[in-house]
Amino acid sequence: MEWEVVIGLEIHAQLATQSKIFSGASTAYGADANTQACAVDLGLPGVLPVFNEEALRMAVKFGLAIDAEIGKKSVFDRKNYFYPDLPKGYQTTQLHHPIVGIGHIDIELDDGTTKRINVTRAHLEEDAGKSVHEGFDKMSGIDLNRAGTPLIEIVSEPEMRSAKEAAAYFRKMHSIVTYLGICDGDLSQGSMRCDCNVSLRPKGQEEFGTRTEIKNVNSFRNVERAIETEIARQMDILEDGGSITQETRLYDADKNETRGMRSKEVANDYRYFPCPDLLPVIIDDNYIEAVRDTLPELPDAKRARFVKDHGLSTVDAAVLASDRSLAEYFETVAHAANDYKLAANWVQGDVSAALNRLEMGIAQLSVSAEQLGRILQLIKDNTLNNGGAKEVFNALLEGKGDDTVGGVDALVDSLGLKQVSDTGAIEGIVAQVLADNPKLVEGYLNTPEDKRAKAIGPFIGLTRKAAKGVNPQVVMDVLKKKLSELG
């Protein structure tokens, strides 16, 4: 039987507020366990939550970025359940009246086409704490620092039909929230993670199959791997005549397998009811428009501008616009060099290779955009050839020179990399190379005219070996002239 995959994602993005959604406790990552959880976060008797307006502003910003309906009246509810990392016994969230309603984003597929994925809703809620297992012999510890951190949960329609589409959707959402500056997007710290709802149905059938939910997947690669693994598991069961159990599952990346965690709850299990301690949040058009005025240029618009205004290919533009920090670095380099294509080649080439090799983000790169821009200026005015430019770039990566733009010029001088473009000087070097290699010259002169372009290569290598830093184009011009004079 031919099966169709049905996938929906629920993405949790931590909002980048300084304090928690209902208290003044800090949201800074990395503090000692249980040092950033106050009485409100723990829900102790006698305390009342106070809503953080910055979380509201960020949620509205997100809604506008995905062209969504903004809820002018949103209501907080209590979602009741017991977990050790939720000492209140309920999570404050939104159910019937979320801050963000129906919206959409477009994702790019491998075949170059785009696909629109609709967003059902995005609601505000508080995060729970977390269980800690390391260092506790056969027991678990509880760290409540994360309890009360503001989240926006982004729920998609079940419109993705492959693991690749789901990964592309997750990447696009990551790009949008980081562009907006409402989430740092650090997957390793859990700032953004997603639950993957997966089911199969016979091709052509409208009714959905029974779905499972893979909980808390926190990397693009693992979203793809986890879904592919779950698809294969469900298909094996269905092909053998079995049925799927609706449940929540965990993904073990080391074993590349999903395994059952608990049966899947439905809304009734949580006994939702409006939070009696929080009033409905009412906003008006003026508030929404004021937030709209703060929206930055978003990735799709930036990508289109790179293509239209700067002549980049759609592939290059998509890569460079996918990450806000990378895009800003690239634009600074391109502006300094006054050459977008050269900057695109370097950022996607040597810069990206260095980031991968050093396992760091663009913000940690020791070569500033202004310094790389200066290096590219020196290529364009023939002060550096491409090899010399790479040598300067790598020296800066190794911490040589200072961190100023002027330090690039000083480094070029100290490394003796200035390119020799003086025609008179190069003529002398070429003359000596030809005199030292008479057999090579004879071979060249006996080469048919239509094959001499290749035969000139050895002379270029010998000339550059004889004088480091000579301008290859000038060398080529002089060689052609001198060899032409000989025969």
Side-chain angles (χ1 to χ4, degrees):
M1 180 178 290
E2 190 174 359
W3 299 94
E4 182 177 56
V5 178
V6 178
I7 302 167
L9 295 189
E10 298 173 16
I11 297 173
H12 290 85
Q14 285 185 357
L15 296 177
T17 57
Q18 297 297 307
S19 58
K20 295 184 178 178
I21 188 168
F22 299 122
S23 80
S26 172
T27 57
Y29 180 82
D32 290 340
N34 296 311
T35 59
Q36 292 180 174
C38 69
V40 174
D41 306 326
L42 274 59
L44 296 183
V47 297
L48 290 172
V50 177
F51 181 42
N52 185 341
E53 192 269 339
E54 185 64 5
L56 172 70
R57 190 187 65 79
M58 290 181 172
V60 173
K61 202 170 181 179
F62 171 76
L64 294 172
I66 64 166
D67 198 22
E69 299 171 4
I70 305 299
K72 292 183 181 176
K73 176 183 178 181
S74 58
V75 176
F76 285 104
D77 304 284
R78 287 187 179 180
K79 179 182 179 182
N80 297 276
Y81 62 100
F82 174 76
Y83 280 148
D85 56 12
L86 188 68
K88 294 193 297 186
Y90 63 86
Q91 179 187 32
T92 305
T93 182
Q94 296 179 327
L95 178 63
H96 298 297
H97 302 283
I99 183 64
V100 176
I102 296 172
H104 61 84
I105 65 169
D106 294 331
I107 60 172
E108 291 72 43
L109 305 181
D110 288 346
D111 62 3
T113 61
T114 61
K115 178 176 180 178
R116 176 153 294 183
I117 304 295
N118 290 293
V119 172
T120 311
R121 54 189 267 142
H123 57 263
L124 283 163
E125 64 183 26
E126 61 182 342
D127 209 344
K130 64 179 180 181
S131 298
V132 183
H133 308 291
E134 192 172 329
F136 294 88
D137 184 25
K138 298 180 181 178
M139 295 186 292
S140 296
I142 302 295
D143 179 3
L144 294 172
N145 280 354
R146 203 176 67 181
T149 298
L151 297 177
I152 186 166
E153 181 175 335
I154 308 160
V155 182
S156 81
E157 289 290 296
E159 296 175 337
M160 288 157 272
R161 295 292 176 262
S162 71
K164 284 189 178 297
E165 286 185 13
Y169 173 83
F170 191 27
R171 282 194 187 90
K172 189 63 172 284
M173 278 300 178
H174 181 273
S175 179
I176 289 172
V177 298
T178 52
Y179 257 77
L180 293 171
I182 63 172
C183 175
D184 66 21
D186 192 325
L187 302 178
S188 66
Q189 295 179 3
S191 298
M192 202 167 174
R193 52 195 190 270
C194 77
D195 303 337
C196 312
N197 291 294
V198 181
S199 66
L200 301 182
R201 63 183 174 187
K203 189 86 172 179
Q205 177 180 301
E206 289 192 10
E207 183 184 355
F208 290 140
T210 302
R211 65 185 168 91
T212 60
E213 180 183 63
I214 311 169
K215 202 75 178 167
N216 286 333
V217 188
N218 66 348
S219 82
F220 303 129
R221 182 167 179 263
N222 281 348
V223 164
E224 196 167 332
R225 293 177 72 210
I227 291 174
E228 286 176 344
T229 301
E230 181 60 14
I231 290 171
R233 187 190 73 85
Q234 290 190 19
M235 195 171 293
D236 284 346
I237 294 172
L238 294 172
E239 292 283 358
D240 289 343
S243 59
I244 304 300
T245 301
Q246 182 167 322
E247 61 182 348
T248 300
R249 299 181 69 82
L250 288 175
Y251 176 64
D252 186 328
D254 294 332
K255 297 180 179 177
N256 192 31
E257 66 177 22
T258 67
R259 56 175 180 265
M261 180 181 172
R262 61 175 184 266
S263 61
K264 176 64 181 171
E265 300 87 347
V266 295
N268 287 341
D269 296 331
Y270 292 117
R271 294 173 291 114
Y272 280 95
F273 63 85
C275 179
D277 294 337
L278 289 161
L279 291 171
V281 179
I282 309 295
I283 57 176
D284 58 20
D285 288 336
N286 290 335
Y287 183 91
I288 294 171
E289 292 310 310
V291 175
R292 192 190 302 278
D293 288 343
T294 67
L295 289 179
E297 182 183 43
L298 292 168
D300 285 352
K302 193 178 288 291
R303 182 185 58 191
R305 179 167 60 80
F306 285 171
V307 172
K308 180 174 180 290
D309 294 351
H310 304 302
L312 301 189
S313 71
T314 53
V315 173
D316 288 351
V319 171
L320 293 166
S322 63
D323 178 273
R324 182 174 181 174
S325 297
L326 185 68
E328 290 175 348
Y329 185 94
F330 160 69
E331 288 208 86
T332 302
V333 173
H335 181 71
N338 193 28
D339 193 323
Y340 277 75
K341 289 187 177 178
L342 181 61
N345 290 339
W346 269 78
V347 172
Q348 292 185 94
D350 292 75
V351 172
S352 294
L355 296 178
N356 290 334
R357 185 173 69 252
L358 301 172
E359 297 183 340
M360 63 171 56
I362 194 74
Q364 288 78 47
L365 191 70
S366 58
V367 184
S368 71
E370 291 79 8
Q371 286 179 310
L372 180 56
R374 179 57 185 160
I375 292 173
L376 302 195
Q377 287 175 1
L378 296 176
I379 293 176
K380 292 186 70 179
D381 69 10
N382 289 322
T383 300
L384 284 176
N385 59 32
N386 205 47
K390 289 176 184 290
E391 199 168 327
V392 175
F393 178 76
N394 289 326
L396 290 170
L397 279 179
E398 294 167 2
K400 297 176 182 174
D402 60 44
D403 58 1
T404 66
V405 175
V408 171
D409 292 77
L411 198 53
V412 170
D413 288 337
S414 68
L415 294 173
L417 293 172
K418 270 190 177 174
Q419 189 169 238
V420 177
S421 297
D422 179 76
T423 303
I426 292 176
E427 282 182 341
I429 300 166
V430 167
Q432 189 62 51
V433 167
L434 298 182
D436 292 343
N437 297 277
K439 289 188 177 179
L440 204 58
V441 172
E442 184 180 351
Y444 175 84
L445 296 176
N446 290 330
T447 301
E449 289 280 349
D450 60 346
K451 296 182 179 176
R452 285 187 173 181
K454 185 176 180 182
I456 205 169
F459 296 106
I460 296 173
L462 288 168
T463 305
R464 297 181 69 177
K465 185 177 179 181
K468 185 179 179 183
V470 289
N471 185 322
Q473 186 57 54
V474 178
V475 169
M476 175 67 84
D477 293 342
V478 170
L479 275 169
K480 284 182 177 177
K481 177 186 169 190
K482 292 287 186 185
L483 288 167
S484 174
E485 291 171 355
L486 292 174

